[in-house]
Amino acid sequence: MTPRLHLEIPAESPFFAGHFPGHPILPGIAHLALATRALSEQAILEIRTLRLRKPVGPGEALEVFAEGPGEDGIARFEIRRGEETLSNGTVLLGTPDQGLDPGVEIVAGDFPDPAILVPHAPPALFLSSVVEAGAEGIICAVEIPSAHPLAEAGRVPSFAGLEAAAQAAALLEALGRSGEAEAPRIGYLVGIRDARLHAAFLPVDRPLRAEARLHGSVPPLSMYRVSVQGASGEIVAGMISTYIGS
């Protein structure tokens, strides 16, 4: 792979706002945004694999290496800090089969406010309410705010839905220990696998449904099958892996 971007993520970057308060870390979807820039801004149809190996903090200098896409649309990327690999992945690029979803009407259930249970703050907080929750699954209402740094012209790249689903997974974990008198635990999205993006973009400031179902867990690592749906049906779906700190 060859280097295609050299950049520094300044401490004042809006990507750090609300992710996480007092402990700023570049979100996983920012890694995908950098990869998209390096790959000529084409839409991501699938994320075959993404491994987020090490966190990125404010003020760090990064290089984005990329290869492709080939005739099959497959491209690979790697983000490095010096000789250290921070993230790497394989994606399929192309033309999506859905347009911008108008959002869907959602009725909230009787659950605590997500803002008190997950360690995110606006504009990084996508969860607005819980619709349903059980021992191994959760459905949330999500709205991606227009103030988010990926938002432009009323929309964000559809891979932002994977961050929404990861927050839903974090909320499921928090509800499972809701009897504990402690602050929200910081959790990390560490992997994405076999994710399909049916649209290039998601709308901002409109409600969507995010679902996360526990697929397997060996604490502190867990895997979830996730999806984001709108009025047109499923927009984003795949598998994510998370790491919950102690």
Side-chain angles (χ1 to χ4, degrees), residues 29-231:
I29 55 174
H31 290 243
L32 288 168
L34 293 176
T36 300
R37 283 180 56 190
L39 295 168
S40 303
E41 305 286 347
Q42 294 188 58
I44 297 176
L45 298 183
E46 296 178 14
I47 301 169
R48 301 284 175 87
T49 61
L50 171 65
R51 295 186 68 183
L52 299 162
R53 298 171 179 272
K54 294 183 181 294
V56 177
E60 297 190 356
L62 309 177
E63 281 189 292
V64 184
F65 291 72
E67 178 181 87
E71 292 184 359
D72 58 0
I74 297 294
R76 295 170 178 81
F77 69 90
E78 184 173 322
I79 299 177
R80 300 178 190 170
R81 179 175 52 210
E83 297 299 315
E84 188 176 34
T85 298
L86 305 176
S87 63
N88 61 298
T90 301
V91 297
L92 173 67
L93 306 178
T95 303
D97 53 16
Q98 290 183 16
L100 189 66
D101 194 276
V104 63
E105 184 175 342
I106 298 176
V107 178
D110 185 18
F111 294 94
D113 184 349
I116 66 175
L117 292 175
V118 295
H120 296 70
L125 180 65
F126 296 169
L127 303 179
S128 55
S129 64
V130 180
V131 178
E132 299 176 13
E136 297 189 346
I138 190 168
I139 298 173
C140 296
V142 300
E143 287 192 29
I144 301 173
S146 56
H148 191 271
L150 285 179
E152 184 177 355
R155 61 190 193 180
V156 293
S158 59
F159 54 71
L162 293 164
E163 169 65 18
Q167 292 182 24
L171 183 53
L172 176 63
E173 189 274 339
L175 288 172
R177 54 181 173 82
S178 59
E180 302 177 23
E182 59 178 79
R185 295 177 183 173
I186 290 180
Y188 303 92
L189 175 64
V190 296
I192 299 172
R193 178 168 58 86
D194 298 331
R196 171 68 179 169
L197 313 177
H198 298 287
F201 299 99
L202 297 177
V204 299
D205 295 334
R206 299 182 193 175
L208 299 167
R209 290 165 57 98
E211 183 172 355
R213 299 209 168 272
L214 186 64
H215 186 73
S217 181
V218 181
L221 293 170
S222 297
M223 290 194 308
Y224 297 86
R225 189 175 300 278
V226 300
S227 66
V228 175
Q229 305 104 27

